[in-house]
Amino acid sequence: MSSVVFEKVTKQYENGYVAVKDLNIELEDKEFLVLVGPSGCGKTTSLRMLAGLEEISSGSIYIDGQRVNNVTPKDRDIAMVFQSYALYPHMSVADNMGFSLDLKGVPKKEIRKKVGAAAKQLGIEQLLDRKPKQLSGGQRQRVALGRAIVRSPAVFLMDEPLSNLDAKLRVQARAELSELHKKVGTTFVYVTHDQAEAMTMGTRIAVMNSGILQQIDTPQNVYEHPSNIFVAGFLGSPSMNFFDARLLKKDGTLMIKTDGGIAVPIPTERLSRYQEFQGRPVVFGIRPEGIYHPQYVPPGIDPVSITATAKTVELMGYEVIVYFTLADGTEFIARLDPRAKVTPGEQLNLQFDLTRFHLFDKESEQVI
Ligand code: ATP
Protein backbone atom coordinates (compact mmCIF):
# COMPACT_ATOMS: atom_id res chain seq x y z
CA MET A 1 0.00 0.00 0.00
CA SER A 2 1.29 3.45 -0.81
CA SER A 3 -1.45 5.97 -0.25
CA VAL A 4 -0.71 9.67 0.01
CA VAL A 5 -2.80 12.22 1.89
CA PHE A 6 -2.54 16.01 1.91
CA GLU A 7 -4.55 17.31 4.86
CA LYS A 8 -5.17 21.06 5.00
CA VAL A 9 -1.67 21.68 3.69
CA THR A 10 -0.59 25.31 3.42
CA LYS A 11 2.73 26.74 2.31
CA GLN A 12 3.65 30.29 3.12
CA TYR A 13 7.14 31.32 1.96
CA GLU A 14 9.39 33.46 4.17
CA ASN A 15 8.38 36.60 2.24
CA GLY A 16 4.76 36.00 3.30
CA TYR A 17 3.56 34.68 -0.07
CA VAL A 18 1.01 31.87 0.26
CA ALA A 19 1.82 29.47 -2.59
CA VAL A 20 -0.51 26.63 -1.51
CA LYS A 21 -3.63 27.09 0.58
CA ASP A 22 -5.54 24.45 2.53
CA LEU A 23 -4.80 21.62 0.12
CA ASN A 24 -6.78 18.43 0.72
CA ILE A 25 -6.08 15.44 -1.53
CA GLU A 26 -6.43 11.73 -0.81
CA LEU A 27 -4.57 9.56 -3.26
CA GLU A 28 -5.30 5.91 -3.49
CA ASP A 29 -2.68 3.22 -3.88
CA LYS A 30 -1.43 2.86 -7.49
CA GLU A 31 -3.11 6.05 -8.61
CA PHE A 32 -1.59 8.29 -11.32
CA LEU A 33 -2.50 11.71 -10.05
CA VAL A 34 -1.64 14.71 -12.21
CA LEU A 35 -1.36 18.13 -10.59
CA VAL A 36 -2.07 20.60 -13.36
CA GLY A 37 -2.47 24.36 -13.56
CA PRO A 38 -0.90 27.50 -15.00
CA SER A 39 2.60 28.67 -14.12
CA GLY A 40 2.84 29.75 -10.49
CA CYS A 41 -0.32 27.94 -9.30
CA GLY A 42 1.56 26.03 -6.59
CA LYS A 43 1.86 22.56 -8.13
CA THR A 44 5.65 22.28 -7.80
CA THR A 45 5.49 23.58 -4.24
CA SER A 46 2.91 20.87 -3.42
CA LEU A 47 5.11 18.17 -4.93
CA ARG A 48 8.20 19.46 -3.14
CA MET A 49 6.36 19.37 0.19
CA LEU A 50 5.43 15.76 -0.50
CA ALA A 51 9.06 15.01 -1.35
CA GLY A 52 10.26 16.70 1.83
CA LEU A 53 12.22 19.35 -0.07
CA GLU A 54 10.01 22.16 1.19
CA GLU A 55 8.80 22.67 4.73
CA ILE A 56 5.04 22.55 5.35
CA SER A 57 3.72 25.74 7.00
CA SER A 58 0.57 24.08 8.36
CA GLY A 59 -1.39 20.87 7.85
CA SER A 60 -0.09 17.33 7.42
CA ILE A 61 1.13 14.99 4.72
CA TYR A 62 0.81 11.24 5.17
CA ILE A 63 2.47 8.47 3.14
CA ASP A 64 1.05 5.03 3.88
CA GLY A 65 -0.69 6.37 6.94
CA GLN A 66 2.52 7.77 8.44
CA ARG A 67 2.69 11.53 9.02
CA VAL A 68 5.85 12.58 7.21
CA ASN A 69 6.03 16.31 8.01
CA ASN A 70 9.27 15.79 9.92
CA VAL A 71 10.64 12.84 7.95
CA THR A 72 13.72 13.62 5.81
CA PRO A 73 13.40 13.15 2.01
CA LYS A 74 15.66 10.10 1.98
CA ASP A 75 13.48 8.34 4.55
CA ARG A 76 10.20 8.97 2.70
CA ASP A 77 10.41 6.04 0.27
CA ILE A 78 9.85 8.26 -2.74
CA ALA A 79 11.77 8.85 -5.96
CA MET A 80 11.62 12.07 -7.91
CA VAL A 81 12.17 12.76 -11.61
CA PHE A 82 12.69 16.41 -12.53
CA GLN A 83 12.53 18.42 -15.71
CA SER A 84 16.35 18.53 -15.80
CA TYR A 85 17.48 14.93 -15.55
CA ALA A 86 20.75 15.86 -13.80
CA LEU A 87 22.61 12.71 -14.85
CA TYR A 88 26.24 12.47 -13.78
CA PRO A 89 28.15 13.16 -17.03
CA HIS A 90 31.24 11.11 -16.15
CA MET A 91 29.25 7.99 -15.23
CA SER A 92 27.82 5.38 -17.58
CA VAL A 93 24.08 4.91 -17.85
CA ALA A 94 24.32 1.78 -15.69
CA ASP A 95 26.27 3.61 -12.99
CA ASN A 96 23.88 6.55 -13.09
CA MET A 97 20.96 4.21 -12.61
CA GLY A 98 22.59 2.23 -9.82
CA PHE A 99 24.17 5.14 -7.97
CA SER A 100 21.56 5.54 -5.24
CA LEU A 101 21.66 1.81 -4.47
CA ASP A 102 25.45 1.96 -4.34
CA LEU A 103 25.22 4.77 -1.79
CA LYS A 104 22.94 2.60 0.32
CA GLY A 105 25.57 -0.18 0.27
CA VAL A 106 23.50 -2.60 -1.83
CA PRO A 107 25.78 -5.42 -3.12
CA LYS A 108 27.09 -4.88 -6.69
CA LYS A 109 25.48 -8.07 -7.99
CA GLU A 110 22.08 -6.97 -6.69
CA ILE A 111 22.53 -3.52 -8.26
CA ARG A 112 23.38 -5.06 -11.65
CA LYS A 113 20.25 -7.17 -11.46
CA LYS A 114 17.98 -4.25 -10.59
CA VAL A 115 19.55 -1.93 -13.20
CA GLY A 116 19.21 -4.67 -15.83
CA ALA A 117 15.55 -5.21 -14.99
CA ALA A 118 14.74 -1.48 -15.07
CA ALA A 119 16.66 -1.04 -18.35
CA LYS A 120 14.64 -3.89 -19.85
CA GLN A 121 11.37 -2.30 -18.73
CA LEU A 122 12.40 0.95 -20.40
CA GLY A 123 13.94 -0.58 -23.51
CA ILE A 124 17.40 0.91 -22.90
CA GLU A 125 19.44 -2.27 -22.27
CA GLN A 126 21.71 -1.50 -25.24
CA LEU A 127 22.59 1.91 -23.77
CA LEU A 128 23.91 0.83 -20.37
CA ASP A 129 27.60 1.40 -21.20
CA ARG A 130 27.11 4.82 -22.77
CA LYS A 131 27.74 8.19 -21.14
CA PRO A 132 24.83 10.68 -20.91
CA LYS A 133 26.29 12.92 -23.64
CA GLN A 134 26.01 10.01 -26.08
CA LEU A 135 22.23 9.88 -25.59
CA SER A 136 19.29 11.67 -27.18
CA GLY A 137 16.92 13.73 -25.03
CA GLY A 138 14.34 10.95 -24.99
CA GLN A 139 16.95 8.38 -23.96
CA ARG A 140 18.21 10.61 -21.15
CA GLN A 141 14.67 10.98 -19.93
CA ARG A 142 14.37 7.19 -19.80
CA VAL A 143 17.63 6.89 -17.85
CA ALA A 144 16.29 9.40 -15.33
CA LEU A 145 13.17 7.26 -15.00
CA GLY A 146 15.31 4.15 -14.70
CA ARG A 147 17.26 5.73 -11.88
CA ALA A 148 13.97 6.22 -10.03
CA ILE A 149 12.65 2.73 -10.83
CA VAL A 150 15.67 0.83 -9.43
CA ARG A 151 14.90 2.25 -6.02
CA SER A 152 11.45 0.60 -6.03
CA PRO A 153 9.92 3.57 -4.23
CA ALA A 154 6.45 3.58 -2.71
CA VAL A 155 5.65 6.79 -4.62
CA PHE A 156 7.05 8.27 -7.83
CA LEU A 157 7.08 12.05 -8.02
CA MET A 158 7.58 13.73 -11.38
CA ASP A 159 7.92 17.41 -12.11
CA GLU A 160 7.44 18.20 -15.82
CA PRO A 161 9.74 15.31 -16.79
CA LEU A 162 8.83 15.57 -20.49
CA SER A 163 9.24 19.28 -21.04
CA ASN A 164 12.71 18.97 -22.59
CA LEU A 165 11.46 16.68 -25.33
CA ASP A 166 10.25 17.79 -28.75
CA ALA A 167 6.53 17.61 -29.50
CA LYS A 168 6.57 14.19 -31.20
CA LEU A 169 8.70 12.56 -28.52
CA ARG A 170 6.48 14.00 -25.82
CA VAL A 171 3.45 12.26 -27.25
CA GLN A 172 5.36 8.98 -27.41
CA ALA A 173 6.79 9.44 -23.89
CA ARG A 174 3.32 10.17 -22.56
CA ALA A 175 2.11 6.76 -23.69
CA GLU A 176 5.28 5.11 -22.37
CA LEU A 177 4.83 6.66 -18.95
CA SER A 178 1.25 5.40 -18.74
CA GLU A 179 2.50 1.93 -19.67
CA LEU A 180 5.27 2.18 -17.10
CA HIS A 181 2.77 3.14 -14.44
CA LYS A 182 0.80 -0.01 -15.16
CA LYS A 183 3.93 -2.16 -15.13
CA VAL A 184 5.47 -0.91 -11.88
CA GLY A 185 2.09 -0.76 -10.14
CA THR A 186 3.03 2.15 -7.88
CA THR A 187 1.50 5.50 -7.00
CA PHE A 188 2.57 8.32 -9.34
CA VAL A 189 2.21 12.04 -8.65
CA TYR A 190 2.95 14.07 -11.77
CA VAL A 191 3.17 17.83 -12.16
CA THR A 192 2.57 19.59 -15.45
CA HIS A 193 1.14 22.79 -16.89
CA ASP A 194 0.21 20.87 -20.04
CA GLN A 195 -3.45 19.97 -20.05
CA ALA A 196 -2.98 17.35 -22.78
CA GLU A 197 -0.53 15.46 -20.55
CA ALA A 198 -2.96 15.70 -17.66
CA MET A 199 -5.91 14.47 -19.71
CA THR A 200 -4.07 11.55 -21.30
CA MET A 201 -2.07 10.20 -18.36
CA GLY A 202 -3.92 10.87 -15.13
CA THR A 203 -6.23 8.35 -13.53
CA ARG A 204 -7.37 11.53 -11.77
CA ILE A 205 -6.34 15.11 -12.27
CA ALA A 206 -6.18 17.89 -9.70
CA VAL A 207 -6.56 21.34 -11.24
CA MET A 208 -4.93 24.13 -9.23
CA ASN A 209 -5.06 27.90 -9.57
CA SER A 210 -3.48 30.56 -7.34
CA GLY A 211 -2.52 27.99 -4.70
CA ILE A 212 -6.04 26.60 -4.42
CA LEU A 213 -7.29 23.21 -5.58
CA GLN A 214 -10.17 23.89 -7.99
CA GLN A 215 -11.35 20.37 -8.80
CA ILE A 216 -10.13 16.79 -8.56
CA ASP A 217 -11.71 13.99 -10.56
CA THR A 218 -11.16 11.70 -13.53
CA PRO A 219 -10.03 13.52 -16.70
CA GLN A 220 -13.36 12.83 -18.37
CA ASN A 221 -15.43 14.16 -15.47
CA VAL A 222 -13.33 17.29 -15.10
CA TYR A 223 -13.64 17.92 -18.85
CA GLU A 224 -17.35 17.22 -19.09
CA HIS A 225 -18.42 18.62 -15.73
CA PRO A 226 -16.06 21.47 -14.84
CA SER A 227 -16.92 22.94 -11.44
CA ASN A 228 -16.11 26.54 -12.32
CA ILE A 229 -15.12 28.92 -15.13
CA PHE A 230 -11.40 28.53 -14.47
CA VAL A 231 -11.42 24.74 -14.88
CA ALA A 232 -13.76 24.96 -17.87
CA GLY A 233 -11.42 27.39 -19.62
CA PHE A 234 -8.19 25.67 -18.65
CA LEU A 235 -8.93 22.21 -20.04
CA GLY A 236 -9.51 21.94 -23.76
CA SER A 237 -7.79 23.45 -26.76
CA PRO A 238 -9.15 25.65 -28.24
CA SER A 239 -10.76 26.67 -24.96
CA MET A 240 -14.43 26.70 -24.11
CA ASN A 241 -16.30 29.77 -25.46
CA PHE A 242 -17.84 31.97 -22.78
CA PHE A 243 -20.68 34.46 -23.30
CA ASP A 244 -21.98 36.91 -20.69
CA ALA A 245 -25.70 36.26 -20.41
CA ARG A 246 -28.88 36.49 -18.36
CA LEU A 247 -31.57 33.98 -17.58
CA LEU A 248 -34.88 35.47 -18.68
CA LYS A 249 -38.46 34.25 -19.01
CA LYS A 250 -40.08 34.77 -22.41
CA ASP A 251 -43.66 33.59 -23.09
CA GLY A 252 -43.39 31.38 -20.01
CA THR A 253 -40.14 29.73 -21.21
CA LEU A 254 -36.85 30.17 -19.38
CA MET A 255 -34.18 31.32 -21.85
CA ILE A 256 -30.49 32.13 -21.78
CA LYS A 257 -29.92 35.44 -23.57
CA THR A 258 -26.34 36.43 -24.22
CA ASP A 259 -25.25 40.05 -24.59
CA GLY A 260 -24.36 39.23 -28.22
CA GLY A 261 -27.92 38.15 -29.05
CA ILE A 262 -27.78 34.37 -28.68
CA ALA A 263 -31.10 33.08 -27.32
CA VAL A 264 -31.19 29.53 -26.04
CA PRO A 265 -34.22 27.82 -24.49
CA ILE A 266 -33.36 25.84 -21.36
CA PRO A 267 -33.83 22.10 -21.85
CA THR A 268 -36.57 20.79 -19.53
CA GLU A 269 -34.24 18.55 -17.53
CA ARG A 270 -32.17 21.56 -16.47
CA LEU A 271 -35.07 23.88 -15.56
CA SER A 272 -35.09 23.21 -11.82
CA ARG A 273 -31.33 23.78 -11.53
CA TYR A 274 -31.50 27.19 -13.19
CA GLN A 275 -34.84 28.50 -11.90
CA GLU A 276 -33.45 30.48 -8.96
CA PHE A 277 -30.95 32.29 -11.21
CA GLN A 278 -33.72 33.95 -13.22
CA GLY A 279 -32.82 37.59 -13.91
CA ARG A 280 -29.28 37.16 -12.62
CA PRO A 281 -26.07 37.56 -14.65
CA VAL A 282 -24.67 34.22 -15.75
CA VAL A 283 -21.99 32.96 -18.13
CA PHE A 284 -22.98 30.61 -20.94
CA GLY A 285 -20.19 28.22 -21.96
CA ILE A 286 -19.93 25.92 -24.94
CA ARG A 287 -16.87 24.06 -26.19
CA PRO A 288 -15.79 24.50 -29.84
CA GLU A 289 -16.78 20.87 -30.51
CA GLY A 290 -20.32 21.55 -29.28
CA ILE A 291 -20.94 23.74 -32.34
CA TYR A 292 -21.78 22.18 -35.72
CA HIS A 293 -21.78 23.23 -39.36
CA PRO A 294 -25.42 23.05 -40.60
CA GLN A 295 -24.54 20.35 -43.14
CA TYR A 296 -22.78 18.10 -40.64
CA VAL A 297 -25.05 17.82 -37.65
CA PRO A 298 -24.81 14.37 -36.05
CA PRO A 299 -27.89 12.53 -34.80
CA GLY A 300 -28.76 12.54 -31.10
CA ILE A 301 -28.00 16.15 -30.31
CA ASP A 302 -30.38 18.94 -29.38
CA PRO A 303 -29.47 21.73 -31.81
CA VAL A 304 -30.36 25.40 -31.71
CA SER A 305 -29.57 27.60 -34.69
CA ILE A 306 -27.21 30.59 -34.24
CA THR A 307 -26.26 32.90 -37.11
CA ALA A 308 -22.62 33.98 -37.22
CA THR A 309 -19.99 35.13 -39.72
CA ALA A 310 -16.75 33.22 -40.30
CA LYS A 311 -13.68 35.36 -39.78
CA THR A 312 -10.67 33.06 -39.90
CA VAL A 313 -10.54 29.46 -41.06
CA GLU A 314 -7.77 27.05 -39.97
CA LEU A 315 -7.64 23.76 -41.81
CA MET A 316 -6.08 21.16 -39.54
CA GLY A 317 -6.70 18.12 -41.73
CA TYR A 318 -8.67 16.15 -39.13
CA GLU A 319 -10.84 19.16 -38.24
CA VAL A 320 -11.49 22.76 -39.22
CA ILE A 321 -11.12 25.44 -36.56
CA VAL A 322 -13.20 28.48 -37.46
CA TYR A 323 -13.26 31.84 -35.66
CA PHE A 324 -16.75 33.34 -35.88
CA THR A 325 -18.26 36.70 -34.96
CA LEU A 326 -21.82 37.50 -33.96
CA ALA A 327 -23.62 40.63 -35.21
CA ASP A 328 -22.38 42.68 -32.21
CA GLY A 329 -18.76 41.62 -32.75
CA THR A 330 -18.65 38.90 -30.04
CA GLU A 331 -16.14 36.25 -31.10
CA PHE A 332 -16.16 32.50 -30.58
CA ILE A 333 -14.46 29.42 -31.96
CA ALA A 334 -15.97 26.28 -33.49
CA ARG A 335 -14.33 22.96 -34.28
CA LEU A 336 -16.12 21.77 -37.38
CA ASP A 337 -16.24 18.62 -39.47
CA PRO A 338 -13.21 18.56 -41.82
CA ARG A 339 -15.55 18.16 -44.80
CA ALA A 340 -17.16 21.55 -44.06
CA LYS A 341 -16.17 24.11 -46.67
CA VAL A 342 -16.16 27.46 -44.91
CA THR A 343 -14.78 30.66 -46.38
CA PRO A 344 -13.96 33.83 -44.43
CA GLY A 345 -16.86 36.30 -44.62
CA GLU A 346 -19.45 33.54 -45.06
CA GLN A 347 -22.57 33.66 -42.89
CA LEU A 348 -23.73 30.36 -41.42
CA ASN A 349 -26.59 29.06 -39.33
CA LEU A 350 -24.45 27.16 -36.86
CA GLN A 351 -26.01 24.48 -34.70
CA PHE A 352 -25.23 24.72 -30.97
CA ASP A 353 -25.71 21.40 -29.15
CA LEU A 354 -27.91 22.08 -26.14
CA THR A 355 -26.98 18.79 -24.50
CA ARG A 356 -23.44 20.09 -24.04
CA PHE A 357 -23.56 23.65 -22.76
CA HIS A 358 -22.46 24.85 -19.33
CA LEU A 359 -23.88 27.64 -17.21
CA PHE A 360 -21.97 29.50 -14.51
CA ASP A 361 -22.93 32.05 -11.90
CA LYS A 362 -21.18 35.22 -13.06
CA GLU A 363 -20.54 36.36 -9.51
CA SER A 364 -19.11 33.21 -7.90
CA GLU A 365 -17.89 31.75 -11.23
CA GLN A 366 -19.13 28.35 -10.01
CA VAL A 367 -21.15 26.05 -12.25
CA ILE A 368 -24.90 26.16 -11.74
P1 ATP B 1 5.63 26.52 -12.74
O1 ATP B 1 4.79 25.74 -13.69
O2 ATP B 1 6.00 27.86 -13.29
O3 ATP B 1 6.78 25.75 -12.17
P2 ATP B 1 4.15 26.09 -10.27
O4 ATP B 1 2.69 25.96 -10.32
O5 ATP B 1 4.92 24.85 -10.12
O6 ATP B 1 4.66 26.92 -11.51
P3 ATP B 1 5.37 26.93 -7.80
O7 ATP B 1 6.79 26.72 -8.21
O8 ATP B 1 4.77 25.96 -6.88
O9 ATP B 1 4.46 27.10 -9.09
O10 ATP B 1 5.26 28.39 -7.18
C1 ATP B 1 4.04 28.88 -6.66
C2 ATP B 1 4.18 30.33 -6.31
O11 ATP B 1 5.09 30.47 -5.20
C3 ATP B 1 4.75 31.18 -7.43
O12 ATP B 1 4.04 32.40 -7.47
C4 ATP B 1 6.19 31.41 -7.03
O13 ATP B 1 6.65 32.67 -7.49
C5 ATP B 1 6.12 31.38 -5.51
N1 ATP B 1 7.38 30.88 -4.92
C6 ATP B 1 8.05 29.74 -5.24
N2 ATP B 1 9.16 29.61 -4.49
C7 ATP B 1 9.21 30.70 -3.67
C8 ATP B 1 10.11 31.14 -2.64
N3 ATP B 1 11.17 30.42 -2.29
N4 ATP B 1 9.80 32.31 -2.02
C9 ATP B 1 8.70 33.02 -2.34
N5 ATP B 1 7.81 32.64 -3.29
C10 ATP B 1 8.06 31.50 -3.95
Side-chain angles (χ1 to χ4, degrees), residues 11 13-20 37-46 48 54 83 159-160 191-193 208:
K11 174 68 189 182
Y13 283 108
E14 289 77 40
N15 63 358
Y17 186 77
V18 179
V20 177
S39 183
C41 72
K43 49 197 189 298
T44 295
T45 302
S46 305
R48 286 175 60 82
E54 206 67 74
Q83 176 179 346
D159 192 352
E160 309 247 10
V191 160
T192 182
H193 64 273
M208 293 184 73

